[in-house]
């Protein structure tokens, strides 16, 4: 059989069937990393600390901050990433949504024990919690969504 090379050094086979050429352009990709992230929170007045413990690297996360009593959104005014979070990521605070991600290559390393992920200043002293929590790991071509508990 003939081979057609798209990305060196991985040859991609060219299959010929019934006079038609079917070209598979997808090079093999390594399996995505999977793991577990555990989230806990601690609140003092309008300051909400989010702690993370994980057995896998984290490429990004997103969650919403809401009041425990009725699930109403709580606006987030300020976010300060923990010391264990590498520089170079993008933090976006919009209303009650917190979004953080690394665009290229860098990731938050696994935390063996609970460590501060982010400290938030919010618009309320009411008891708060997180909802719609999404963490993503490192993977190719698409990162996996990680299982979150807490």
């Amino acid at each position: 059989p003939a081979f057609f090379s798209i990305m060196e050094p991985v040859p991609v086979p060219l299959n010929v069937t019934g006079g038609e050429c079917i070209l598979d352009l997808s090079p093999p990709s390594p399996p995505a990393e999977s793991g577990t992230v555990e989230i806990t929170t601690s609140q003092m007045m309008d300051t909400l600390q989010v702690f993370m413990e994980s057995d896998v690297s984290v490429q990004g996360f997103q969650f919403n901050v809401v009041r425990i009593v009725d699930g109403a959104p709580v606006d987030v005014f300020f976010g300060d990433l923990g010391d264990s979070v590498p520089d170079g990521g993008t933090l976006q605070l919009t209303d009650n949504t917190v979004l953080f991600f690394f665009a290229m290559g860098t990731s938050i390393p696994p935390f063996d024990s609970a460590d501060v992920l982010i400290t938030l200043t919010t618009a309320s002293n009411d008891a708060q919690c997180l909802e719609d929590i999404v963490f993503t790991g490192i993977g190719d071509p698409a990162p996996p969504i990680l299982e979150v508990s807490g």
Side-chain angles (χ1 to χ4, degrees):
F3 285 92
F4 180 77
S5 183
I6 299 291
M7 303 176 99
E8 294 295 329
V10 180
V12 178
L14 175 65
N15 299 314
V16 179
T17 309
E20 274 184 17
C21 291
I22 302 167
L23 180 60
D24 180 4
L25 297 178
S26 56
S29 57
E33 188 177 2
S34 63
T36 302
V37 175
E38 184 174 341
I39 296 298
T40 54
T41 60
S42 174
Q43 182 180 351
M44 175 74 80
M45 304 293 289
D46 66 347
T47 301
L48 180 67
Q49 279 194 309
V50 179
F51 298 87
M52 179 180 88
E53 184 175 344
S54 67
D55 60 3
V56 65
S57 297
V58 171
Q59 186 91 34
F61 58 85
Q62 178 177 328
F63 53 80
N64 296 325
V65 180
V66 297
R67 290 190 328 192
I68 290 177
V69 67
D70 60 5
V74 175
D75 286 346
V76 178
F77 295 127
F78 180 76
D80 185 27
L81 296 167
D83 292 339
S84 298
V85 177
D87 294 334
T90 300
L91 176 63
Q92 210 168 29
L93 308 173
T94 307
D95 299 326
N96 73 317
T97 300
V98 176
L99 171 66
F100 177 81
F101 63 92
F102 289 104
M104 300 289 293
T106 307
S107 63
I108 302 168
F111 293 169
D112 307 10
S113 59
D115 200 353
V116 175
L117 178 63
I118 189 168
T119 301
L120 303 169
T121 303
T122 68
S124 175
N125 290 337
D126 295 335
Q128 302 163 22
C129 65
L130 309 180
E131 72 173 9
D132 301 328
I133 302 169
V134 177
F135 277 72
T136 183
I138 298 172
D140 182 24
I145 301 299
L146 302 173
E147 178 184 330
V148 178
S149 64

